[in-house]
Amino acid sequence: AVIAYFGPFSIPYRRQAIADWMALMEEKRIPSSTKFDLQEIVGDAVQIRAWNLQGLPTDAFSIDNGIIISVARRWPLMIDPQGQANKW
């Protein structure tokens, strides 16, 4: 769900959605990690570093977006008023 739906949402919304999902999994007794981090689950540290060298900002939000773009099955729609994604 993170890969398919999180792209357009802000950091606070993403954090709240993940917290809600984690609580729901705990309530339903679905086994899961105690912490969710997209970079640890799907990310490749070498690839992320290469993205940073290519111009992707180093903040977690930008890196998460890079991961989502790299593993998504569809073309991303980039609304990028600062031009960071297009530069990358």
Side-chain angles (χ1 to χ4, degrees), residues 10-80:
S10 66
I11 295 170
Y13 182 88
R14 289 179 184 190
R15 287 184 182 150
Q16 185 59 50
I18 289 170
D20 292 346
W21 288 341
M22 297 293 284
L24 185 61
M25 287 190 296
E26 186 176 331
E27 176 186 316
K28 302 287 184 185
R29 297 179 190 207
I30 298 171
S32 65
S33 304
T34 56
K35 177 186 170 199
F36 177 86
D37 186 351
L38 189 61
Q39 293 180 42
E40 290 181 17
I41 297 169
V42 184
D44 174 8
V46 174
Q47 183 65 50
I48 291 168
R49 182 67 183 137
W51 294 340
N52 296 143
L53 292 172
Q54 295 166 0
L56 184 71
T58 58
D59 63 283
F61 188 68
S62 296
I63 293 171
D64 284 355
N65 286 340
I67 291 169
I68 290 169
I69 288 169
S70 71
V71 298
R73 292 179 149 185
R74 299 179 183 194
W75 291 95
L77 170 62
M78 293 193 191
I79 300 171
D80 186 23

